[in-house]
Amino acid sequence: QVQLVESGGGLVQAGGSLRLSCAASGSIGSISRMGWYRQAPGKQRELVATITSGGSTNYASSVKGRFTISRENAKNAVYLLMNSLEPEDTAVYYCMMDVRARYSVSFQSYWGQGTQVTVSS
């Protein structure tokens, strides 16, 4: 079994910064894609940023230039540095990883429990 644990959410004023972290543990063989998604009240979950095992990144247009995704393979971890935060960034943020469990041949997507980010105006 694989578990993802997130940390780093909180309350911040507009223009401020936060850094989210997510680490995977359990029976892990390898991890390909890692990413962050968010869901605001009354809205669907949306992609924020992803990063491949090779380090290629993809960002939602609304966060490009403000957010930076990175990964640390040795720790099975992914990070999201969020700068110039806006009230519209308020949401629950979820990390996601495509994990091949040890002794498995296929990848499966796993999700964290979510961490609340609130940006006040």
Side-chain angles (χ1 to χ4, degrees):
Q1 188 70 337
V2 175
Q3 299 84 34
L4 272 59
V5 178
E6 301 151 350
S7 60
L11 173 64
V12 64
Q13 287 189 331
S17 299
L18 281 175
R19 185 176 184 254
L20 305 183
S21 301
C22 175
S25 63
S27 180
I28 297 171
S30 61
I31 303 175
S32 57
R33 186 177 57 131
M34 297 180 175
W36 290 94
Y37 291 71
R38 67 187 181 186
Q39 186 167 18
K43 295 187 176 182
Q44 289 188 329
R45 189 174 298 188
E46 62 176 3
L47 181 146
V48 175
T50 60
I51 184 168
T52 68
S53 56
S56 297
T57 58
N58 179 53
Y59 295 93
S61 58
S62 59
V63 307
K64 196 171 294 185
R66 300 188 297 123
F67 291 9
T68 302
I69 188 171
S70 60
R71 62 190 285 167
E72 190 170 359
N73 292 329
K75 294 185 177 181
N76 293 325
V78 63
Y79 309 99
L80 186 68
L81 176 61
M82 305 183 292
N83 294 323
S84 303
L85 282 161
E86 304 169 352
E88 292 74 23
D89 296 317
T90 294
V92 177
Y93 284 70
Y94 299 89
C95 68
M96 183 284 301
M97 297 186 187
D98 291 331
V99 180
R100 181 182 61 79
R102 202 168 297 163
Y103 308 122
S104 175
V105 297
S106 61
F107 285 83
Q108 181 177 345
S109 294
Y110 290 87
W111 294 84
Q113 79 285 359
T115 185
Q116 177 70 45
V117 171
T118 303
V119 184
S120 62
S121 57

